[in-house]
């Protein structure tokens, strides 16, 4: 049997516990208690507000989207009263392709406004815009030395469009010789009384850049040797383009002046001042292009087969290469370059490049081909020979592009004109 024995507590320990007191006065104790109660009330208030907010969000509708994007995506009329989105979603089938098409058109108008800088390889249509300014220059042909001298004096009356902080104009000159043969290309539509002529670029020059001036003065002089053949000067045209310099090589053409030398008496220095005109494209060659569309893998095969360009002085060091880019909705997706091939009257490439397309309508894509001339030995500079573009624009559809869409998974080849 177990017996419990109660031991008496220590009298000193009990007395010490009774005498334990907080070393604060009564006023301090009441202040600490009031602050504690105040913090508790604030915390409870925050907790109740968060709970009310959580329950209220479950029964409110989502905020409306932006009016521009909602109007583009949805062509149906909007309801007059706000609906509750907590109900079960509907299974309505909508035409996603048409909505994406409307959205892309709006984005192209807002992100890429009209009048922006020209992209290399893009041959845009010229709108009915008034060209301002004039170009003053002088031309002289020395018959004894068979030397043509062109002096760019001044550009006057340019108008700053306001898209850039200030104009940086310069003048690019091309001495072009009209070939005897005229080409009949299906993609190049001209009037019946004005056939396309194949031009040969004899010389290219450009003046220095003058920053921040609408009436820059140059005084730059250029010269070249021209053989005094019979009728040589009658088929030569001096083309001068006034451009706004861009550090990314996207120079905007402000206007141009064309001077047929055969119509002028340049046996003595002749000074002229001509108004700037709307720039036009000239045919400088042809390219045989092959297209094949693979809809399953969303790929596009672009084959550059041949390039036919006339040149005045044959050179063994001259070579050609092409830069092919695919654009969608006026923005470049990617680009590829061909190998460098020695230049001939008909340069053969026979190269096929593969491009992967995004999941968007193919009608909004466009192919741009730029052909450059480079030197295999010596300087590593390049010179643009010509450009072409194949695709579907808003105004017209290229016949080669339409043939590619009709002949899916089959290559379709066709000649195109190189413009500059």
């Amino acid at each position: 049997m177990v017996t419990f024995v109660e031991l008496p507590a220590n009298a000193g320990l009990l007395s010490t516990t009774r005498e334990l007191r907080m070393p604060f006065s009564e006023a301090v104790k009441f202040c600490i208690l009031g602050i504690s109660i105040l913090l508790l009330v604030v915390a409870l208030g925050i907790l109740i507000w968060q709970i009310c907010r959580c329950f209220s969000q479950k029964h409110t509708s989502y905020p409306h989207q932006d009016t521009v994007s909602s109007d583009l995506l949805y062509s149906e009329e909007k309801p007059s009263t706000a609906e509750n989105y907590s109900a079960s979603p509907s299974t309505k089938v909508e035409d996603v392709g048409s909505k994406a098409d409307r959205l892309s058109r709006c984005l192209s108008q807002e992100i890429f406004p009209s009048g922006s800088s020209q992209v290399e390889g893009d041959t845009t249509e010229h709108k009915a815009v008034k060209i301002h300014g004039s170009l003053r220059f002088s031309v002289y042909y020395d018959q004894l030395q068979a030397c043509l001298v062109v002096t760019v004096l001044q550009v006057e009356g340019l108008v700053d469009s306001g898209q850039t902080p200030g104009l940086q104009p310069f003048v690019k000159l091309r001495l072009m010789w009209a070939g005897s043969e005229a080409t009949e290309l299906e993609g190049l539509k001209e009037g019946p009384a004005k056939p396309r002529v194949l031009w040969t670029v004899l010389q290219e020059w450009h003046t220095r850049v003058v920053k921040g001036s609408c009436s820059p003065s140059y005084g730059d002089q250029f010269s070249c040797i021209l053989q005094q053949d019979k009728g040589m000067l009658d088929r030569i045209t001096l083309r001068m383009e006034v451009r706004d310099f861009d550090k990314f090589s996207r120079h905007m053409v402000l206007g141009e002046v064309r001077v047929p030398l055969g119509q002028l008496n340049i046996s003595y220095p002749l000074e002229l001042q001509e108004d700037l005109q709307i720039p036009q494209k000239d045919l400088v060659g042809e390219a045989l292009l092959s297209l094949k569309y693979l809809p399953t893998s969303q790929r596009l095969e672009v084959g550059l087969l041949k390039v036919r360009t006339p040149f005045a002085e044959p050179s063994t060091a001259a070579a050609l290469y092409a830069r092919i880019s695919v654009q969608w909705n006026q923005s470049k997706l990617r680009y590829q370059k061909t190998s460098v091939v020695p230049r001939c009257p008909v340069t053969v490439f026979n190269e096929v490049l593969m491009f992967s397309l995004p999941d968007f309508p193919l009608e909004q894509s466009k192919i741009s081909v730029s052909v450059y001339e480079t030197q295999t030995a010596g300087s590593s500079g390049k010179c643009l020979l010509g450009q072409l573009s194949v695709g579907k624009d808003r105004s017209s559809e290229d016949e080669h592009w339409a043939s590619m869409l009709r002949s899916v998974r089959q290559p379709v080849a066709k000649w195109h004109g190189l413009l500059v």
Side-chain angles (χ1 to χ4, degrees):
M1 185 169 102
V2 180
T3 306
F4 297 94
V5 180
E6 295 181 1
L7 298 177
N10 193 353
L13 182 60
L14 294 176
S15 61
T16 304
T17 305
R18 295 190 192 96
E19 294 177 358
L20 184 62
R21 297 283 194 281
M22 295 182 64
F24 300 110
S25 61
E26 296 295 333
V28 175
K29 294 178 182 179
F30 284 113
C31 289
I32 295 175
L33 180 61
I35 294 174
S36 301
I37 295 174
L38 180 61
L39 293 177
L40 179 61
V41 172
V42 172
L44 290 176
I46 295 175
L47 179 60
I48 294 173
W49 175 66
Q50 291 290 344
I51 293 174
C52 296
R53 182 182 177 186
C54 180
F55 281 101
S56 62
Q57 284 184 353
K58 292 184 179 181
H59 302 283
T60 58
S61 60
Y62 291 100
H64 294 287
Q65 298 178 349
D66 187 43
T67 57
V68 176
S69 59
S70 61
D71 292 341
L72 288 169
L73 290 175
Y74 302 98
S75 59
E76 295 83 11
E77 295 183 356
K78 298 181 179 180
S80 57
T81 58
E83 297 179 356
N84 194 337
Y85 284 86
S86 61
S88 60
S90 61
T91 58
K92 183 179 179 181
V93 180
E94 302 181 26
D95 189 3
V96 181
S98 61
K99 294 179 180 180
D101 191 11
R102 288 194 296 268
L103 179 60
S104 64
R105 286 199 301 268
C106 178
L107 291 177
S108 64
Q109 292 176 0
E110 294 183 0
I111 301 177
F112 303 96
S114 60
S116 59
S117 60
Q118 296 180 352
V119 181
E120 180 180 355
D122 187 17
T123 57
T124 56
E125 295 183 357
H126 301 286
K127 300 181 181 179
V129 181
K130 185 178 180 181
I131 304 297
H132 301 275
S134 60
L135 176 62
R136 188 161 59 90
F137 60 95
S138 66
V139 185
Y140 169 62
Y141 180 69
D142 189 353
Q143 298 181 359
L144 297 178
Q145 300 181 0
C147 180
L148 178 67
V149 180
V150 181
T151 305
V152 180
L153 300 176
Q154 187 179 10
V155 178
E156 300 177 355
L158 296 180
V159 177
D160 191 357
S161 60
Q163 299 178 359
T164 56
L167 284 178
Q168 301 181 22
F170 71 98
V171 183
K172 184 171 185 177
L173 300 90
R174 285 191 178 97
L175 198 62
M176 309 181 68
W177 178 73
S180 57
E181 69 273 16
T183 58
E184 294 292 339
L185 294 178
E186 200 167 349
L188 301 175
K189 297 181 180 180
E190 288 288 331
K194 187 181 179 182
R196 295 303 292 250
V197 180
L198 189 60
W199 293 87
T200 303
V201 180
L202 302 178
Q203 292 288 339
E204 283 191 7
W205 308 291
H206 63 85
T207 64
R208 55 189 174 87
V209 179
V210 178
K211 297 183 178 180
S213 176
C214 293
S215 297
S217 298
Y218 294 99
D220 297 348
Q221 190 176 86
F222 310 96
S223 62
C224 68
I225 302 297
L226 292 179
Q227 298 298 330
Q228 200 171 6
D229 296 337
K230 183 178 181 180
M232 181 67 178
L233 291 178
D234 297 339
R235 301 168 65 180
I236 290 181
T237 298
L238 179 62
R239 174 181 170 185
M240 295 172 285
E241 293 179 344
V242 179
R243 300 188 175 191
D244 186 13
F245 177 79
D246 181 77
K247 62 180 180 180
F248 299 108
S249 299
R250 298 175 296 186
H251 311 307
M252 179 183 293
V253 181
L254 303 178
E256 72 171 12
V257 172
R258 294 174 181 262
V259 181
L261 299 184
Q263 301 178 5
L264 302 176
N265 184 12
I266 55 176
S267 57
Y268 59 93
L270 178 63
E271 182 174 333
L272 300 172
Q273 183 168 1
E274 300 289 340
D275 295 333
L276 298 180
Q277 306 296 329
I278 298 177
Q280 303 292 334
K281 297 291 184 180
D282 293 318
L283 180 66
V284 294
E286 300 168 343
L288 182 58
L289 206 64
S290 173
L291 301 179
K292 183 171 72 172
Y293 176 55
L294 304 175
T296 305
S297 58
Q298 283 292 103
R299 291 184 178 181
L300 184 65
E301 291 185 2
V302 182
L304 182 60
L305 306 182
K306 299 179 182 179
V307 172
R308 183 166 54 198
T309 55
F311 51 96
E313 298 179 357
S315 175
T316 57
L320 298 182
Y321 75 93
R323 173 173 171 169
I324 303 176
S325 62
V326 175
Q327 302 178 8
W328 180 84
N329 198 18
Q330 300 184 9
S331 61
K332 288 187 178 180
L333 298 179
R334 57 174 302 184
Y335 71 90
Q336 298 184 31
K337 293 182 180 180
T338 64
S339 58
V340 179
V341 180
R343 183 175 182 181
C344 302
V346 179
T347 308
V348 179
F349 286 90
N350 285 337
E351 294 190 25
V352 177
L353 305 179
M354 185 78 68
F355 295 91
S356 298
L357 300 178
D359 297 332
F360 287 102
L362 186 64
E363 291 79 7
Q364 300 175 6
S365 302
K366 184 172 63 174
I367 302 171
S368 297
V369 180
S370 302
V371 180
Y372 294 90
E373 180 185 10
T374 184
Q375 301 294 327
T376 56
S379 61
S380 60
K382 63 179 182 180
C383 176
L384 177 65
L385 287 185
Q387 300 171 335
L388 68 91
S389 63
V390 182
K392 181 178 180 181
D393 297 333
R394 299 178 184 177
S395 57
S396 61
E397 182 175 1
D398 190 272
E399 187 171 346
H400 192 189
W401 189 265
S403 300
M404 180 197 67
L405 296 180
R406 290 193 300 265
S407 305
V408 179
R409 300 182 182 89
Q410 297 295 329
V412 180
K414 188 178 179 182
W415 284 96
H416 293 270
L418 292 175
L419 305 178
V420 70

